[in-house]
Amino acid sequence: MKLKLVRKMKYYFLKLLRIRKSDHVVAIGFIAGFFHCWFPTFGIGMLLSIGLARLLRGNLVAAVISGSLGSFLWPFLFYLNYKSGFIIESLFHSPNYELDDALDEAVPDADYSEAADHFNSFSDIGLNFLTGSIVNSILFSFIGYFALRFVLKHYRLPLLRKLKRKVV
């Protein structure tokens, strides 16, 4: 089973390298296909990949390959969204230093603050996730575009020769 998966991955990687379009078109298609993977798309991700690749005039095969790859990586991507959103929020969130004023106030009899804090933490998680997904999708799209374009421009033929020998 594992060997079959490795062969399929080599096949799709080889197919990606054999695309006869320019490096720019293939990189745009790949990035457009992967862009939706940073967000919860609830089953319409592949349609978004194809639509975005057509809108940006990227390669559709590269978009489908990267969208499929992103489907396997989504648990890691969602975790990365939350963590990066938490880091961004902690960078721009100023701590509240009005502790003396809080100590002078009387404590109410009914303690609803624990329940309110509990529901507030859920909204913070959602906000952290949304912030992280927006930042990650934009940042990794730019980095991925230039990295993939560099690899295709400089290493496409050597990689094709190397993979051709191993696959055949």
Side-chain angles (χ1 to χ4, degrees):
M1 181 72 178
K2 189 175 182 182
L3 184 62
K4 194 174 186 179
L5 182 65
V6 170
R7 283 186 182 168
K8 278 189 175 188
M9 292 301 290
K10 281 184 184 179
Y11 170 75
Y12 287 120
F13 186 63
L14 188 62
K15 192 172 184 173
L16 180 69
L17 291 174
R18 284 185 178 169
I19 296 173
R20 299 214 182 260
K21 300 285 183 176
S22 71
D23 304 333
H24 168 74
V25 172
V26 175
I28 286 290
F30 194 87
I31 296 306
F34 197 78
F35 189 80
H36 78 87
C37 298
W38 296 100
F39 302 96
T41 55
F42 306 110
I44 62 166
M46 197 56 68
L47 293 173
L48 291 173
S49 293
I50 293 170
L52 192 57
R54 281 194 161 193
L55 180 70
L56 298 174
R57 294 191 176 128
N59 188 275
L60 294 179
V61 174
V64 169
I65 290 171
S66 65
S68 301
L69 177 68
S71 297
F72 290 107
L73 295 176
W74 72 265
F76 170 72
L77 298 176
F78 280 20
Y79 179 74
L80 189 63
N81 284 342
Y82 171 69
K83 281 300 185 184
S84 58
F86 179 75
I87 290 170
I88 291 167
E89 189 263 338
S90 66
L91 288 175
F92 294 107
H93 182 71
S94 63
N96 190 2
Y97 290 115
E98 299 175 14
L99 187 60
D100 294 333
D101 294 339
L103 292 176
D104 293 337
E105 291 182 18
V107 177
D109 292 335
D111 189 20
Y112 297 110
S113 63
E114 185 177 330
D117 287 340
H118 179 71
F119 287 113
N120 189 28
S121 69
F122 281 140
S123 68
D124 287 345
I125 290 171
L127 189 60
N128 288 345
F129 179 82
L130 181 64
T131 304
S133 61
I134 291 170
V135 169
N136 286 338
S137 63
I138 293 170
L139 181 69
F140 282 99
S141 291
F142 281 114
I143 292 170
Y145 170 77
F146 289 112
L148 186 62
R149 190 158 182 202
F150 178 80
V151 167
L152 288 174
K153 185 175 183 180
H154 295 289
Y155 299 109
R156 181 185 281 193
L157 290 176
L159 284 172
L160 272 172
R161 287 187 201 117
K162 188 174 185 175
L163 283 174
K164 201 173 193 181
R165 278 185 264 149
K166 287 186 177 183
V167 171
V168 174

